[in-house]
Amino acid sequence: MASPTSSPVAVNSPTPYQAPAEKPSAPPVNILASPIARTYSYVHPIVLLTLGVFRFEAVVSNPVEELLSDLPWLALLQIEEKKKAAPRSPSGPTVTLRPGKPGLRRKQSAGKHDWAGVWAKLMPAFMSLALTTLLATPVLAALLVLFGAPLTTHNAETLLCGAHMALLSATGLVYTHGVDSAVWKEVWGISRPADAVWGAALGTGLGAWFGAIPIPLDWDRPWQAFPITILAGAYIGSAVGSLISRTPFLYGKRIQFAPEEADEDEKKTN
């Protein structure tokens, strides 16, 4: 009696786990090609520096009152810059195809189109300003305390310093990138490609860092009081960073931390 033969059963070998593909990094932000946008992109840093220079003595004499009164002007400058950099809607009344009847067109109401265009430009700017005020300001104020700002005194100065730094750095990032988690990971990791927006943000932080150097020195000058030199450095850093980061030498490049050491560690593990 012949014994039954079993047919071979194919066994699927376990496939290695494949991590989901990472979202590609957002490209650097380009300045629009229109003459108005390009001109204002250079005028805006100059206006910021001019504001800081002409209001410096008033800030030294009464920091809280002056910083509070300058906040609306700084917010207006930042919103106006974003509006200038925003893509423009096509001029003239738009036409849309009537659904179901190809080739037949109808004109939209000019009034509705105008209001929609204005709202489309203003809404992102105001939303970025609101998120900057509600989120970035307390975060930067807390970072100032962690880096040595007084905790039990000068609370108003710390909060106003954080508000000015937030407007200088975070407004443009929120406006151009929204709340994209991948972009903000690059921001906190200091790995964004260089552009005018990222350059202004990074320059604000570096300028504030170097601006804190004169505070502990024994010069006995009124302008050494917290947070005057920190804000002066933040304004200068924001303007300089916005200008130099768009140059061909830096545009689109990223900061790399000690690549030689990383290569040596990789060779040792291999």
Side-chain angles (χ1 to χ4, degrees):
M1 182 176 179
S3 61
T5 58
S6 58
S7 60
V9 179
V11 179
N12 294 328
S13 59
T15 58
Y17 173 75
Q18 294 181 353
E22 294 184 359
K23 183 179 179 181
S25 173
V29 179
N30 293 316
I31 303 297
L32 292 182
S34 64
I36 296 178
R38 290 193 174 276
T39 302
Y40 193 78
S41 67
Y42 289 101
V43 171
H44 180 260
I46 297 174
V47 173
L48 283 181
L49 291 178
T50 304
L51 176 65
V53 169
F54 278 94
R55 306 306 298 173
F56 186 77
E57 293 184 2
V59 173
V60 173
S61 60
N62 194 342
V64 174
E65 181 179 349
E66 186 60 30
L67 292 177
L68 186 60
S69 62
D70 287 344
L71 268 181
W73 297 105
L74 179 58
L76 182 63
L77 283 174
Q78 297 301 96
I79 291 178
E80 187 64 24
E81 185 202 16
K82 308 315 166 197
K83 285 170 58 182
K84 293 292 184 183
R88 297 188 176 187
S89 56
S91 59
T94 58
V95 293
T96 56
L97 290 176
R98 185 176 298 175
K101 296 183 178 181
L104 297 180
R105 299 186 177 184
R106 59 181 176 86
K107 290 187 177 181
Q108 291 182 344
S109 173
K112 292 181 179 180
H113 170 72
D114 293 340
W115 278 110
V118 172
W119 180 250
K121 291 180 180 180
L122 290 178
M123 185 61 181
F126 283 115
M127 286 298 295
S128 62
L129 183 60
L131 290 175
T132 298
T133 304
L134 297 176
L135 298 179
T137 297
V139 169
L140 288 175
L143 287 176
L144 287 171
V145 173
L146 292 176
F147 278 99
L151 178 61
T152 58
T153 61
H154 297 78
N155 295 326
E157 288 88 341
T158 302
L159 186 61
L160 288 171
C161 181
H164 278 255
M165 290 179 60
L167 287 174
L168 290 171
S169 60
T171 308
L173 291 171
V174 175
Y175 183 87
T176 53
H177 303 296
V179 292
D180 190 343
S181 60
V183 172
W184 286 99
K185 286 179 182 178
E186 292 180 340
V187 169
W188 290 110
I190 317 180
S191 58
R192 281 290 304 156
D195 53 37
V197 177
W198 173 232
L202 186 59
T204 300
L206 291 176
W209 179 279
F210 286 108
I213 294 176
I215 294 179
L217 301 179
D218 297 330
W219 294 346
D220 295 331
R221 296 292 189 271
W223 50 264
Q224 285 182 266
F226 172 82
I228 297 172
T229 57
I230 293 178
L231 277 178
Y235 271 77
I236 295 173
S238 176
V240 173
S242 175
L243 291 174
I244 67 173
S245 59
R246 69 186 71 175
T247 59
F249 179 72
L250 292 177
Y251 179 78
K253 297 182 180 179
R254 302 171 187 265
I255 298 176
Q256 295 182 354
F257 296 96
E260 294 83 6
E261 296 180 3
D263 293 341
E264 291 178 1
D265 294 339
E266 186 177 357
K267 290 178 181 179
K268 290 179 181 179
T269 55
N270 295 333

